[in-house]
């Protein structure tokens, strides 16, 4: 029996299925049919040579914003995915109860990539840059539960932010998210950055299976204390089964925090980007209006129209691949990096045998990468530089059993102002 597609000669890395080493991957229709050390080329109607490449399951980005055209943040999931090997996206709270059906109709059902969503506790979701919690009435638990129960196939959890979401000093959104999560038996994803509420208060609302995103933040809710030691409450939270998510974002990656945590063997369960329009063009986002790293956005109308630096040809310079580079620099192995971008998020979200693995029977979403060796500059949000020895390059993606052409990245929306690299 022949296969529709055969990927030959690659180094397979699939921690979920336990594959590691030179293997061939066979696809029939849109499913993985076989993974074996040697499958003859004649067995495939189409053969792709993957010699010298790492072949992995299609990547899962557990925290991104893909409600394109409707929200301040939303980027194109297919365009970005096709350049980076991400075949499954989890939108982290762009839609609330009032806007979820639009996410479903206009984005999820039209995209080539697979998309699931955390629904925002606020029924307006992240339409604007922030203030989704400005009015407590936006957190309507009954409505949220009705919407979730009609969309169980796409909703994987509930998202709540503190900080600059407009209702931060009030714990009501967290209480309501807790109630909804318990009723619906879904996890909460909570965003940490600037207090109030403080980290311990937020952690006190969370239970086993809930997700803390932005774990490498250098802001006031960081996971380390003044001496760089992991806070006791954070250790306890992890022991209690909380999931730790990278969520790189526009202001949530500090080398100081990351190195302190990595030095104490505290690694993210999941590597995610928190990709959105402000992050896509530069990981090293500097606000030229203030001359500092991505600062307090609430100060003035001017400061809010953040200018984004563009490197080189204007192609995105920040994405899942640069997150992987940073994790390799911090000392995570490539295999663990792949685990944290495939099997682990799939397991956490209940998508385990469907995506995030090359196990026969699962969806034929496959990515292939090479790793360049050299000296590569990496930067955090505070402008600090480090040099990594490895840089992950995306080479190709198979999506639903077919080679996936790259989709052009659209121009940014008018509220994203692009400036030259040096300037303001
Ligand atoms: Zn986010």
């Amino acid at each position: 029996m022949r296969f529709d597609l055969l990927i030959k000669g690659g180094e397979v890395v699939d921690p979920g299925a336990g594959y590691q080493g030179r293997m061939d991957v066979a696809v029939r229709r849109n499913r993985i049919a076989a993974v074996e050390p040697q499958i003859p080329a004649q067995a495939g109607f189409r053969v792709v040579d993957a010699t010298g490449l790492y072949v992995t399951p299609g990547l899962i980005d557990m925290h991104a914003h893909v409600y394109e055209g409707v929200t301040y943040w939303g980027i194109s999931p297919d365009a970005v995915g096709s350049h980076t090997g991400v075949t499954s996206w989890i939108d982290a709270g762009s839609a609330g109860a009032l806007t979820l059906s639009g996410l479903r109709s206009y984005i999820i059902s039209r995209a080539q990539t697979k998309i699931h969503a955390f629904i925002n506790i606020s029924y307006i979701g992240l339409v604007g840059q922030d203030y989704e919690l400005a009015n407590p009435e936006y957190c309507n638990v009954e409505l949220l539960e009705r919407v979730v129960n009609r969309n169980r196939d796409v909703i994987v959890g509930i998202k709540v932010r503190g900080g600059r979401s407009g209702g931060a000093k009030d714990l009501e959104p967290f209480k309501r998210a807790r109630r909804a999560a318990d009723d619906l038996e879904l996890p909460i994803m909570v965003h940490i950055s600037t207090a109030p509420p403080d980290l311990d208060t937020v952690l006190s609302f969370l239970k086993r299976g809930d997700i803390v995103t932005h774990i490498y933040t250098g802001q006031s809710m960081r996971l380390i204390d003044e001496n760089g030691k992991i806070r006791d409450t954070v250790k306890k939270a992890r022991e209690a089964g909380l999931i730790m998510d990278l969520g790189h974002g526009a202001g949530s990656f500090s080398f100081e925090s990351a190195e302190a945590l990595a030095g104490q063997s505290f690694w993210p369960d999941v590597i995610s980007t928190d990709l959105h329009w402000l992050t896509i063009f530069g990981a090293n986002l500097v606000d030229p209006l203030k001359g500092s790293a991505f600062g307090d956005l609430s100060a003035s109308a001017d400061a809010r129209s953040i200018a984004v630096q563009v490197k080189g040809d204007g192609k995105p310079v920040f994405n899942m691949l640069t997150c992987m580079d940073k994790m390799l620099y911090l000392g995570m192995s490539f295999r663990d990096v792949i685990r944290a971008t495939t099997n682990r998020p799939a397991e956490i979200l209940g998508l385990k045998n469907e995506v995030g693995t090359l196990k026969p029977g699962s969806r034929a979403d496959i990515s292939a990468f090479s790793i360049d060796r050299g000296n590569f500059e990496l930067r955090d949000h505070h402008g600090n530089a480090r040099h990594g020895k490895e840089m992950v390059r995306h080479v190709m993606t198979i999506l639903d059993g077919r080679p996936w052409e790259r989709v052009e990245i659209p121009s940014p929306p008018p509220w994203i102002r692009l400036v030259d690299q040096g300037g303001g």
Side-chain angles (χ1 to χ4, degrees):
M1 202 157 47
R2 290 178 76 185
F3 302 111
D4 299 337
L5 181 71
L6 189 55
I7 300 157
K8 271 194 74 66
E11 176 81 11
V12 170
V13 181
D14 178 2
Y19 301 134
Q20 174 84 49
R22 214 221 59 85
M23 292 180 131
D24 299 338
V25 180
V27 171
R28 192 174 291 120
R29 295 184 186 274
N30 61 355
R31 301 272 164 183
I32 305 288
V35 180
E36 285 164 26
Q38 196 58 255
I39 303 175
Q42 311 84 276
F45 284 105
R46 187 171 182 180
V47 180
V48 172
D49 180 13
T51 308
L53 302 179
Y54 292 98
V55 174
T56 73
L59 304 183
I60 302 171
D61 191 341
M62 192 174 81
H63 181 164
H65 296 276
V66 298
Y67 203 169
E68 186 190 13
V70 172
T71 62
Y72 177 93
W73 308 97
I75 50 110
S76 163
D78 288 350
V80 179
S82 69
H83 287 263
T84 56
V86 173
T87 54
S88 293
W89 297 96
I90 316 301
D91 185 280
S94 300
L98 296 183
T99 55
L100 192 276
S101 69
L103 181 70
R104 185 178 187 113
S105 305
Y106 310 134
I107 307 289
I108 297 177
S109 63
R110 294 182 191 189
Q112 295 176 275
T113 39
K114 294 162 187 73
I115 302 171
H116 290 79
F118 286 90
I119 188 169
N120 205 298
I121 186 64
S122 163
Y123 66 35
I124 64 170
L126 301 176
V127 169
Q129 194 174 19
D130 47 23
Y131 292 107
E132 77 272 18
L133 302 177
N135 183 341
E137 299 315 310
Y138 293 167
C139 302
N140 184 320
V141 174
E142 276 178 19
L143 175 62
L144 180 112
E145 292 184 358
R146 258 181 282 151
V147 169
V148 170
N149 283 329
R150 289 177 187 202
N151 294 279
R152 285 265 174 190
D153 54 332
V154 302
I155 293 176
V156 293
I158 296 162
K159 177 77 187 286
V160 60
R161 302 200 296 178
R164 53 196 183 81
S165 49
K169 288 157 199 84
D170 177 6
L171 296 176
E172 196 56 28
F174 292 91
K175 291 180 188 161
R176 294 193 192 185
R178 179 75 270 154
R179 178 146 57 91
D182 288 344
D183 289 351
L184 295 162
E185 298 182 22
L186 286 172
I188 297 175
M189 177 188 272
V190 72
H191 147 117
I192 56 167
S193 64
T194 32
D198 64 29
L199 180 64
D200 293 352
T201 304
V202 167
L203 291 177
S204 72
F205 281 97
L206 304 180
K207 295 181 179 172
R208 170 171 294 278
D210 290 338
I211 298 152
V212 179
T213 190
H214 307 316
I215 62 163
Y216 286 162
T217 182
Q219 320 268 24
S220 53
M221 290 174 83
R222 63 189 198 163
L223 270 47
I224 51 173
D225 64 19
E226 320 73 60
N227 303 315
K229 293 273 169 274
I230 304 172
R231 297 169 64 88
D232 284 343
T233 47
V234 171
K235 283 187 201 159
K236 284 197 188 106
R238 187 160 229 182
E239 280 160 21
L242 266 58
I243 307 293
M244 301 293 157
D245 174 40
L246 176 59
H248 187 296
S252 306
F253 189 96
S254 135
F255 273 123
E256 193 193 343
S257 292
E259 287 166 350
L261 288 162
Q264 293 162 82
S265 301
F266 190 97
W267 301 104
D269 289 279
V270 176
I271 299 171
S272 71
T273 60
D274 189 14
L275 206 56
H276 52 68
W277 271 120
L278 288 179
T279 50
I280 187 169
F281 291 103
N284 327 320
L285 194 66
V286 173
D287 176 359
L289 296 169
K290 295 177 152 188
S292 64
F294 194 85
D296 174 16
L297 296 182
S298 59
S300 70
D302 264 359
R304 293 168 68 87
S305 64
I306 276 288
V308 179
Q309 290 198 324
V310 181
K311 273 191 178 174
D313 56 5
K315 292 262 171 51
V317 293
F318 168 72
N319 50 49
M320 183 60 103
L321 306 176
T322 51
C323 287
M324 295 164 96
D325 296 344
K326 287 180 182 177
M327 295 315 300
L328 291 172
Y329 159 76
L330 288 169
M332 214 172 180
S333 69
F334 184 67
R335 184 177 172 80
D336 285 345
V337 165
I338 294 301
R339 184 195 307 280
T341 49
T342 59
N343 166 61
R344 200 67 183 105
E347 200 169 66
I348 289 160
L349 301 168
L351 307 170
K352 198 175 161 191
N353 291 317
E354 192 66 5
V355 293
T357 179
L358 300 174
K359 208 161 86 177
S362 60
R363 293 298 277 258
D365 294 344
I366 307 161
S367 295
F369 303 97
S370 61
I371 298 182
D372 292 358
R373 319 266 159 193
N375 203 23
F376 307 104
E377 189 181 84
L378 306 165
R379 273 186 187 268
D380 72 6
H381 296 306
H382 306 278
N384 302 309
R386 299 288 190 271
H387 286 85
K389 300 268 173 278
E390 295 165 301
M391 185 170 72
V392 180
R393 273 186 195 283
H394 170 252
V395 178
M396 66 177 161
T397 308
I398 308 296
L399 184 67
D400 278 317
R402 299 173 60 187
W404 191 20
E405 296 282 325
R406 289 197 173 147
V407 179
E408 200 186 330
I409 311 266
S411 303
W415 55 90
I416 301 297
R417 203 154 55 81
L418 301 179
V419 296
D420 292 337
Q421 194 167 359

